[in-house]
Amino acid sequence: MDITLIKLSLIDEDKDQPRYQFSQDALEELANSIKEIGLLSPIKVRDTGDGRYKIIYGNRRYKASQMIGLESIPCIVSDATDEMDIYFEQIAENLTREDFSPIEEAEAFHKLMNEDGFRSSIKLLSSKLGKPESYIKNKLELLKFGSAVKKLIVSGTQIRKDCLTEDQLMPLKDLPIEFRDSLALTAARDELPVSDVKKIAKLFKDKSISDGTKQKLLLKTGSGLIETWSVFEQNRKEKLAREKQQQEEARLAAERKAAQVAALEAEQEASASTTKEHAESSGAQYGEATATAAATPITQNTHLQLEGNYIGAVEADDALLPSNTMHAVSLDKANYSITIDHAYAEAEALLVQLRNGDMQQLDACEQLSNDMLIKLQQLQDLWRTIMRESQA
């Protein structure tokens, strides 16, 4: 690498190079250092072909040397001619400098990605500059802010009055533009820590707060906004607690209702099962009693024995009784009618005894009448079956 002394009068600045912000205090400090110990690092230039040179990097050293009146400075002369390669080299060199501002980086990345002659992808920038893609994307987010905010962006993480770090700005980057810049300027003025900026951003992102209310909040100071956030957060937590309690109460009520329904269904099922068993048992008992009664002709002085006791005489018309037994009845209409008449005759006999006061065992009477009703229902169902079969 050859180093050549070149007169300052033959060197031109590159107005399109990535770095353009220079602190006057920093320049004066650098100039005093060069005056005392000399320029320790040469600048890099390229030959423009007309006897002049254009700076690739080293603008600050060039300016500081001018300030102290140097006639010549040491330079590295590059033979590079490709504009993209030169620009990549300028960015790479400046990325190593602490005073290369984040907004200068962002604008350089944007230029490489969007201007004609470059049109680079984030992937290419990442590989060329040795920076993660996320690093480049975050820098590009800074370009969302207005010029007033961009002028305040500085390197590093130290919070300073009327300055903004990247960490302070990142929580605000996705807010609508009508809130974003105003809140950024408030953060710079009031030296808000990043944690407070995050709380304020959360407040302005909440959709339950109207835009009109948010516009009024912009008039508050940073401390006023934090106080508003605290009240809002407390109300939000209380609301969530109430909703959770209501949900729990609704869940318990639903469980109680389900348990009641299940208990009622179980009770109905048990009741139905008991009724069915009782009906089947009563039907069987009545069938046996009826078969016996059918086998024995009933006359006016005949006595029926129920549950082992005589309960009185039964009055009935012998002409209505069948001459055969109940179990011999077939499923034709004629025999079915005789069976029905027999049942009615027994019922009439019971009614006579009740009216005459001859029935002493009321429980036995009630049981027999219930059994007869069940049997009549069975006979009715049987008749419907016969009718359906006859119509088929």
Side-chain angles (χ1 to χ4, degrees):
M1 180 187 299
D2 295 331
I3 299 176
T4 305
L5 281 176
I6 300 177
K7 291 183 178 181
L8 288 175
S9 59
L10 298 177
I11 299 174
D12 300 315
E13 291 186 63
D14 185 354
K15 302 297 183 181
D16 294 327
Q17 65 113 22
R19 190 172 185 182
Y20 59 85
Q21 294 182 357
F22 301 99
S23 166
Q24 188 62 32
D25 291 341
L27 278 176
E28 290 178 359
E29 184 179 346
L30 178 60
N32 291 331
S33 174
I34 294 173
K35 187 176 182 179
E36 291 179 4
I37 61 177
L39 184 62
L40 300 180
S41 299
I43 69 172
K44 191 170 187 177
V45 299
R46 55 174 170 148
D47 191 343
T48 59
D50 54 359
R52 299 190 66 80
Y53 300 87
K54 183 175 287 188
I55 298 174
I56 294 178
Y57 58 76
N59 272 29
R60 288 180 67 253
R61 282 164 282 172
Y62 169 79
K63 286 179 176 292
S65 298
Q66 279 184 322
M67 290 175 65
I68 60 176
L70 291 181
E71 291 187 2
S72 302
I73 56 174
C75 299
I76 300 171
V77 181
S78 172
D79 56 1
T81 58
D82 185 86
E83 292 295 332
M84 180 178 286
D85 289 341
I86 292 172
Y87 201 72
F88 268 117
E89 185 178 2
Q90 290 175 329
I91 295 175
E93 198 276 337
N94 280 297
L95 285 175
T96 64
R97 307 290 179 178
E98 292 183 1
D99 50 359
F100 188 39
S101 76
I103 199 65
E104 287 176 324
E105 282 186 70
E107 290 175 345
F109 295 153
H110 183 269
K111 180 177 180 177
L112 281 170
M113 292 176 63
N114 295 280
E115 287 193 8
D116 293 337
F118 297 113
R119 300 291 180 182
S120 301
S121 64
I122 288 183
K123 188 178 292 294
L124 178 62
L125 264 63
S126 177
S127 63
K128 283 275 191 180
L129 301 174
K131 295 289 185 181
E133 292 184 23
S134 59
Y135 176 92
I136 298 170
K137 289 178 180 178
N138 285 337
K139 287 293 188 294
L140 291 172
E141 294 284 1
L142 298 175
L143 300 179
K144 290 182 176 181
F145 294 89
S147 58
V149 175
K150 290 177 182 177
K151 290 177 182 178
L152 304 179
I153 300 175
V154 295
S155 302
T157 59
Q158 182 182 354
I159 305 298
R160 289 173 279 174
K161 185 172 178 59
D162 296 327
C163 293
L164 288 166
T165 67
E166 289 179 77
D167 292 339
Q168 283 176 296
L169 289 173
M170 285 300 102
L172 304 174
K173 65 184 178 62
D174 294 325
L175 290 177
I177 190 170
E178 60 266 27
F179 307 133
R180 188 170 57 219
D181 282 20
S182 294
L183 292 174
L185 294 174
T186 298
R189 182 194 65 205
D190 297 341
E191 302 177 67
L192 295 179
V194 176
S195 59
D196 283 357
V197 177
K198 288 180 178 179
K199 293 173 182 177
I200 294 171
K202 184 178 181 180
L203 187 67
F204 277 79
K205 287 178 181 178
D206 195 287
K207 294 182 179 179
S208 66
I209 304 176
S210 68
D211 287 348
T213 300
K214 291 175 182 177
Q215 287 290 350
K216 294 177 182 178
L217 290 176
L218 291 177
L219 301 176
K220 293 193 173 190
T221 62
S223 59
L225 288 171
I226 291 300
E227 183 179 352
T228 301
W229 173 85
S230 298
V231 174
F232 174 80
E233 189 68 9
Q234 181 63 31
N235 292 339
R236 186 184 68 83
K237 289 180 179 179
E238 290 177 357
K239 181 181 178 182
L240 289 176
R242 287 195 301 270
E243 291 176 350
K244 185 176 181 180
Q245 182 179 359
Q246 291 171 355
Q247 291 173 356
E248 180 65 15
E249 290 175 352
R251 184 185 67 80
L252 292 175
E255 289 181 355
R256 286 195 297 269
K257 184 176 181 180
Q260 291 172 354
V261 171
L264 180 59
E265 290 177 348
E267 183 180 347
Q268 291 175 345
E269 183 177 351
S271 177
S273 177
T274 301
T275 302
K276 182 178 179 182
E277 291 174 359
H278 177 68
E280 291 175 350
S281 174
S282 299
Q285 293 173 3
Y286 181 70
E288 293 174 0
T290 305
T292 303
T296 305
I298 298 177
T299 65
Q300 187 172 358
N301 295 320
T302 301
H303 292 275
L304 295 177
Q305 184 175 6
L306 298 175
E307 299 182 354
N309 297 302
Y310 290 100
I311 63 174
V314 177
E315 295 181 357
D317 187 351
D318 290 340
L320 297 177
L321 301 180
S323 59
N324 57 346
T325 58
M326 283 291 288
H327 64 269
V329 176
S330 63
L331 295 182
D332 61 81
K333 183 175 181 181
N335 286 331
Y336 174 73
S337 299
I338 293 173
T339 305
I340 289 293
D341 291 339
H342 185 190
Y344 276 121
E346 288 186 325
E348 185 67 24
L350 282 173
L351 183 59
V352 170
Q353 291 187 53
L354 288 171
R355 286 173 178 171
N356 295 337
D358 296 332
M359 182 64 69
Q360 300 298 322
Q361 298 186 14
L362 298 179
D363 291 342
C365 177
E366 182 181 4
Q367 179 66 44
L368 181 57
S369 63
N370 288 335
D371 292 344
M372 292 178 69
L373 289 174
I374 293 171
K375 193 61 178 178
L376 287 172
Q377 182 63 47
Q378 292 173 343
L379 289 171
Q380 186 180 24
D381 293 341
L382 183 59
W383 172 246
R384 289 174 180 166
T385 303
I386 293 172
M387 293 301 294
R388 283 197 300 268
E389 291 178 351
S390 66
Q391 294 172 0

